[in-house]
């Protein structure tokens, strides 16, 4: 009998779901406890900028160590070996770009949203519209991954399979997500992210020691066991590059495209960038990233053991037969190690992880809609904070509905792969404009608009006509085939295009405000003028 079968025929789903519900209720209670009282825009979007660098570093780790980091990467390593671990390397290295190029300068320049930075020296109205469009698109792709992970996780806990059951689960997750944000805002979400980061790293550390102990703390023996458990013809390739990215020229190019998106994407993720506004100074923003790098780096090293442990103890056949396929590898490993109790605990932590990340994404997207579009564009900056917060709450509901529908379409995709698509969109649309705005004095509005719309549009179009959407067994639209772009990740094309269009648009326009650039340069380097912007 398979692990999954055993988990669903011994009465364990009741215990699994009980432990799981306890985690959900506990985190919701924390949100209610810390987020009581009237919320201004600053409290809703940034928690009043009242967190220390260490606290924010923990929250960043909680925000970044999403379903992709735990469920998706573990499954990718279990099934693809070395090629799966490349996700961990890419996600980690990306933080160096964020630390060295973006974190401190970004914190010094803005207040609430990405558009505050990008529109500072450029024309406000067109830049806020373009930035809001990009933020909403990136948030949507990232939400797809989290919702798909939640559907796989809860379906496994309940022992149910089938599209309808997973769709119902995704809908419930969306409703809980909306509740988190409506009640807690950024302050409540941040505390949940800090707590779940500690729990997730602790749980993965325990599982790592447990797995290594099963093989006499001999990592080579663990990898050999994973090789032995693999299907014929796969095991020999599990420990070297090329199992997924190396069979042909197309897959090799696809790997380069994926790597480019992973390394450059973090510095353009709006929900990560917004976390820099939750600390009072640029020094604390830099300290946040330092803490995040250590926590995230340690976690990703542990995923190597978790992934090969799932391959060795659970096996690819059982993983592929489970609801969510690769996304079920880590929960199945927990059941194999500690039975229903450990499965329930690990799944509860993983679900809290998903809820915290989804809540952070939703706050960012709703802030962009309410602050950038409603207040700055539609109301010309004249809306009151109460009106802005009210519109933000309505936006949360709309974003929740879109996330639910998107999650239903993407439920069979590996969530680490889905997150890589969000990274590609962020690196294509946001990163060129951020870097040009901060470092190129000649940069102007036309360059920014060409860069954002060109990078965003090309990434989305290439994804729409890629094997991700149609023409493959795991496509979002099964049975259809209109894939004319051969790569699964568009980063290799769309990211350079975003930079090129930004340069071309800039040199083809005569607009140049030397005084405004000088003012932004001083503020970004010194933080002068930020104190009066922060509403405590």
């Amino acid at each position: 009998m398979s692990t999954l079968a055993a988990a669903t025929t011994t009465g364990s789903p009741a215990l699994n779901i009980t432990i799981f519900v306890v985690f959900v209720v506990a985190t919701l209670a924390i949100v209610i406890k810390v987020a009581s009282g009237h919320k201004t825009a600053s409290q809703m979007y940034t928690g009043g900028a009242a967190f220390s660098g260490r606290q924010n570093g923990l929250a960043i780790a909680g925000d970044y160590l999403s379903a992709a980091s735990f469920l998706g990467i573990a499954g990718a390593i279990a099934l693809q070996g070395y090629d799966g671990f490349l996700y961990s390397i890419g996600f980690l290295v990306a933080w160096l770009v964020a630390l060295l190029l973006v974190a401190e300068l970004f914190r010094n320049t803005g207040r609430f949203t990405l558009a505050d930075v990008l529109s500072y020296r450029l024309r406000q109205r067109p830049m806020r519209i373009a930035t809001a469009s990009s933020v909403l698109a990136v948030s949507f792709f990232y939400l797809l991954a989290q919702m798909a992970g939640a559907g796989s996780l809860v379906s496994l806990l309940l022992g149910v399979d089938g599209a309808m059951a997973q769709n119902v689960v995704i809908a419930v997750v969306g409703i809980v997500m909306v509740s988190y944000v409506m009640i807690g805002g950024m302050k409540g979400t941040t505390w949940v992210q800090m707590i779940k980061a500690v729990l997730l790293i602790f749980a993965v550390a325990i599982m790592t020691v447990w797995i290594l102990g099963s093989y006499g703390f001999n990592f080579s023996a663990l990898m050999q066991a994973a090789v032995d458990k693999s299907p014929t013809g796969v095991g020999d390739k599990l420990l070297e590059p090329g199992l997924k990215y190396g069979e042909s020229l197309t897959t090799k190019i696809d790997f380069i495209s994926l790597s480019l998106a992973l390394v450059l994407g973090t510095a353009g993720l709006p929900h990560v960038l917004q976390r820099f506004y939750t600390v009072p100074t640029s020094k604390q923003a830099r300290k946040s990233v330092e803490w995040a790098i250590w926590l995230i780096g340690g976690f990703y090293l542990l995923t190597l053991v978790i992934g090969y442990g799932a391959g060795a103890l659970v096996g690819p056949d059982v993983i592929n037969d489970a609801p969510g396929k690769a996304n079920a590898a880590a929960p199945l490993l927990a059941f194999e190690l500690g039975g229903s109790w450990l499965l329930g605990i690990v799944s509860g932590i993983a679900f809290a992880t998903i809820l915290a990340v989804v809540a952070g994404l939703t706050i960012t997207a709703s802030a962009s809609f309410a602050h950038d579009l409603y207040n700055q564009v539609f109301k010309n900056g004249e809306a009151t904070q109460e009106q802005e917060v009210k519109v933000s709450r309505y936006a949360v509901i709309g974003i929740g509905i879109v996330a639910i529908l998107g999650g239903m379409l993407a439920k069979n995709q590996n969530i680490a792969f889905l997150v890589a698509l969000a990274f590609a969109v962020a690196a294509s649309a946001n990163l060129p404009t951020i870097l040009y705005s901060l470092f190129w004095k000649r940069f102007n509005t036309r360059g920014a608009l060409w860069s954002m719309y060109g990078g965003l549009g090309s990434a989305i179009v290439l994804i729409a006509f890629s094997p991700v959407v149609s023409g493959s067994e795991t496509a979002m639209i099964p049975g259809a085939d209109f894939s004319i772009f051969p790569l699964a990740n568009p980063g290799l094309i769309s990211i350079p295009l975003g930079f090129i269009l930004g340069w071309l648009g800039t040199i083809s326009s005569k607009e140049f405000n030397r005084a405004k650039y000088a003012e932004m340069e001083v503020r970004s380097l010194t933080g002068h003028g930020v104190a009066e912007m922060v509403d405590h």
Side-chain angles (χ1 to χ4, degrees):
M1 181 179 295
S2 71
T3 305
L4 178 62
T8 56
T9 58
T10 59
S12 59
L15 176 60
N16 297 340
I17 204 64
T18 299
I19 299 173
F20 162 79
V21 169
V22 168
F23 271 88
V24 174
V25 172
T27 53
L28 190 58
I30 293 169
V31 168
I32 295 172
K33 175 69 175 177
V34 303
S36 59
H38 177 69
K39 292 181 181 62
T40 64
S42 175
Q43 291 166 338
M44 183 71 178
Y45 304 149
T46 67
F51 294 97
S52 68
R54 180 173 57 187
Q55 288 175 323
N56 196 44
L58 266 173
I60 287 174
D63 211 355
Y64 198 69
L65 298 178
S66 64
S69 298
F70 183 41
L71 304 179
I73 290 177
I77 294 173
L79 299 180
Q80 302 162 15
Y82 183 95
D83 284 8
F85 186 57
L86 293 173
Y87 280 100
S88 294
I89 297 172
F91 285 146
L92 177 58
V93 171
W95 273 105
L96 297 178
V97 179
L99 173 63
L100 298 175
L101 295 180
V102 174
E104 184 175 353
L105 303 179
F106 193 89
R107 169 62 185 79
N108 283 344
T109 309
R111 185 184 184 190
F112 290 151
T113 65
L114 176 62
D116 288 341
V117 176
L118 300 185
S119 64
Y120 188 85
R121 51 180 288 217
L122 307 175
R123 295 202 303 273
Q124 290 274 323
R125 186 181 180 87
M127 278 310 305
R128 288 192 181 273
I129 294 173
T131 306
S133 301
S134 174
V135 167
L136 292 172
V138 173
S139 299
F140 171 72
F141 279 100
Y142 216 110
L143 282 169
L144 286 185
Q146 309 310 313
M147 301 301 283
S152 302
L153 187 64
V154 182
S155 297
L156 183 68
L157 282 175
L158 295 174
V160 297
D161 202 353
M164 182 58 69
Q166 291 190 52
N167 288 344
V168 171
V169 167
I170 289 171
V172 173
V173 172
I175 293 170
V176 176
M177 166 199 79
V178 169
S179 302
Y180 266 63
V181 178
M182 297 283 279
I183 296 170
M186 179 60 85
K187 187 176 181 180
T189 298
T190 298
W191 276 100
V192 171
Q193 287 168 341
M194 286 191 287
I195 293 169
K196 77 93 177 174
V198 173
L199 291 175
L200 181 61
I201 294 172
F202 185 67
V204 170
I206 289 177
M207 290 176 65
T208 298
V209 173
W210 201 330
I211 293 166
L212 290 175
S214 300
Y215 292 92
F217 293 94
N218 186 333
F219 187 57
S220 295
L222 170 62
M223 291 193 292
Q224 185 60 51
V227 169
D228 295 339
K229 194 97 172 190
S230 299
T232 303
V234 173
D236 295 339
K237 301 178 181 179
L238 204 63
L239 305 181
E240 59 187 40
L243 182 57
K244 180 177 176 63
Y245 300 103
E247 297 89 345
S248 66
L249 178 62
T250 300
T251 53
K252 290 178 180 178
I253 295 175
D254 204 9
F255 166 67
I256 296 173
S257 187
L258 170 68
S259 301
L260 194 62
L262 294 181
V263 171
L264 298 179
T266 296
L269 290 176
H271 70 293
V272 171
L273 294 173
Q274 190 164 331
R275 289 230 56 89
F276 297 142
Y277 297 138
T278 65
V279 293
T281 65
S282 59
K283 180 180 178 181
Q284 294 298 317
R286 188 169 61 251
K287 189 175 180 180
S288 298
V289 181
E290 293 170 359
W291 270 91
I293 287 176
W294 282 106
L295 293 168
I296 293 167
F299 178 87
Y300 282 140
L301 285 177
L302 301 183
T303 59
L304 189 62
V305 177
I306 298 296
Y308 279 119
L313 296 172
V314 179
D317 293 338
V318 174
I319 293 171
N320 283 320
D321 288 340
K325 302 184 185 304
N327 302 327
L332 288 174
L333 174 62
F335 179 81
E336 188 72 32
L337 292 172
S340 293
W341 278 99
L342 188 57
L343 171 62
I345 292 171
V346 168
S347 298
I349 294 172
F351 190 75
T353 294
I354 292 169
L355 282 178
V357 174
V358 165
L361 285 164
T362 306
I363 288 174
T364 298
S366 65
S368 184
F369 182 86
H371 179 68
D372 297 326
L373 292 181
Y374 171 74
N375 191 355
Q376 300 297 327
V377 175
F378 302 148
K379 293 293 185 178
N380 295 316
E382 298 177 357
T384 65
Q385 288 201 9
E386 290 76 13
Q387 290 174 322
E388 188 174 315
V389 171
K390 185 177 181 180
V391 170
S392 176
R393 293 179 183 276
Y394 287 134
V396 167
I397 297 174
I399 292 163
I401 294 172
V402 173
I404 290 170
L405 296 176
M408 291 176 179
L409 285 175
K411 58 182 175 289
N412 292 322
Q413 292 280 346
N414 181 292
I415 48 186
F417 171 72
L418 288 174
V419 165
L421 295 182
F423 274 55
V425 177
S428 303
N430 296 340
L431 185 62
T433 312
I434 291 172
L435 295 182
Y436 281 148
S437 293
L438 293 173
F439 299 109
W440 187 16
K441 67 172 64 177
R442 177 73 174 80
F443 194 53
N444 55 36
T445 304
R446 179 185 291 179
L449 295 178
W450 284 23
S451 176
M452 293 202 81
Y453 285 127
L456 176 64
S458 62
I460 292 177
V461 169
L462 292 177
I463 290 171
F465 290 99
S466 74
V468 176
V469 176
S470 70
S472 66
E473 294 180 359
T474 58
M476 294 183 186
I477 307 178
D481 188 1
F482 46 85
S483 59
I484 56 177
F485 180 66
L487 305 183
N489 192 291
L492 188 62
I493 304 298
S494 58
I495 296 173
L497 185 61
F499 279 98
I500 292 171
L501 289 173
W503 171 79
L504 189 60
T506 298
I507 64 170
S508 65
S509 170
K510 296 181 179 180
E511 177 193 353
F512 175 46
N513 190 330
R514 185 183 300 275
K516 198 65 177 176
Y517 171 75
E519 183 182 340
M520 181 176 178
E521 186 178 33
V522 170
R523 173 166 290 186
S524 66
L525 293 175
T526 67
H528 177 72
V530 176
E532 64 267 22
M533 294 175 64
V534 180
D535 175 19
H536 289 283

